[in-house]
Amino acid sequence: MSEVSDTPFGHVLDPMERISETLFGLIMALTFICSLGIATSGNIRIQTMLIGALGCNLAWGIVDGGLYLLARINERGGKNLTLRAIRQAPDAKSAQRVIADALPPELASVLPSEQLELMRQKVLQSPEPERPKLTGRDWTGALGLCLLSFLATFPVVIPFIFISDAKLALRVSNAVAIAMLFCCGYAFGLRSGINPWAAGLSMVAVGSALVGTTVALGG
């Protein structure tokens, strides 16, 4: 979850994507474990807990990887539509408005019309964009999201492997999950420019509330 990563996925997924996917996987696993603990009235079967939690997050990771690929196609298609709108604009002012709308408002508000016109000329001189398609980088990113969701489960289920008392293992698992929620919030705070300690504690509170709400609604 660091800003710079030496792993292959660290060069494909940005830090916020890695933090978010770890958080989602953690909440999914914690929800499943808490729901199963309540449903079995404390009579927890460790094998069922392990298989269920790992399988749940693997399924979620596959789904999330697929959604990531769809998002990449949508992003490239949207950019192509913007370029086409600039090319087909009836006049320079209309094309400049399209360019300004595509930029962040803070940046568009300080750019002079000369810069917008220069961008328009560059677009007109550039070749027609290719049809949106997936690249090897996209597939790597999807695989990275799937693995992150799956691997986020392991710290939570490790207590069930080494602790024979299932109830004690459940408590330790919840403690590990709380620590991981704090770490995700802390990293989020560092990336967002807010107090990391406050963000970590807030993430624990929000994550616990989400899990509690999900369990209360039937898991």
Side-chain angles (χ1 to χ4, degrees):
M1 293 186 293
S2 61
E3 183 171 352
V4 179
S5 175
D6 294 329
T7 65
F9 302 121
H11 300 292
V12 177
L13 302 173
D14 65 46
M16 287 307 300
E17 286 176 324
R18 300 200 296 273
I19 293 170
S20 298
E21 194 59 31
T22 301
L23 181 62
F24 294 155
L26 174 61
I27 290 178
M28 287 286 289
L30 190 56
T31 299
F32 180 87
I33 290 173
C34 290
S35 299
L36 188 59
I38 293 175
T40 57
S41 300
N43 186 24
I44 305 169
R45 294 186 61 185
I46 292 181
Q47 183 179 10
T48 302
M49 186 74 74
L50 291 174
I51 295 175
L54 293 174
C56 175
N57 270 31
L58 178 59
W60 169 258
I62 293 173
V63 171
D64 209 22
L67 293 176
Y68 174 85
L69 295 176
L70 290 177
R72 298 286 75 76
I73 288 289
N74 178 70
E75 179 183 351
R76 295 192 182 103
K79 290 178 179 178
N80 286 356
L81 290 176
T82 300
L83 293 175
R84 189 176 303 165
I86 296 171
R87 293 173 183 272
Q88 297 176 354
D91 52 57
K93 289 294 183 182
S94 298
Q96 290 176 16
R97 281 197 295 271
V98 174
I99 296 173
D101 290 341
L103 295 172
E106 297 82 3
L107 180 59
S109 63
V110 299
L111 280 180
S113 58
E114 292 80 7
Q115 290 293 330
L116 295 175
E117 176 60 19
L118 180 60
M119 292 181 186
R120 185 183 76 89
Q121 293 293 338
K122 291 290 186 180
V123 170
L124 295 178
Q125 296 169 9
S126 63
E128 190 72 22
E130 297 181 356
R131 181 174 61 87
K133 60 182 180 180
L134 296 174
T135 66
R137 183 183 180 88
D138 297 326
W139 289 101
T140 301
L143 177 61
L145 287 179
C146 183
L147 289 177
L148 275 174
S149 178
F150 183 66
L151 293 175
T153 315
F154 278 98
V156 181
V157 301
I158 283 177
F160 295 96
I161 299 175
F162 294 102
I163 301 177
S164 57
D165 186 337
K167 292 184 179 180
L168 176 59
L170 179 60
R171 295 191 186 95
V172 175
S173 174
N174 290 339
V176 171
I178 290 174
M180 291 183 65
L181 283 172
F182 178 82
C183 290
C184 287
Y186 192 93
F188 176 82
L190 290 177
R191 290 293 306 171
S192 304
I194 60 180
N195 187 303
W197 286 94
L201 294 174
S202 298
M203 191 67 74
V204 171
V206 172
S208 300
L210 289 174
V211 172
T213 301
T214 304
V215 172
L217 294 175

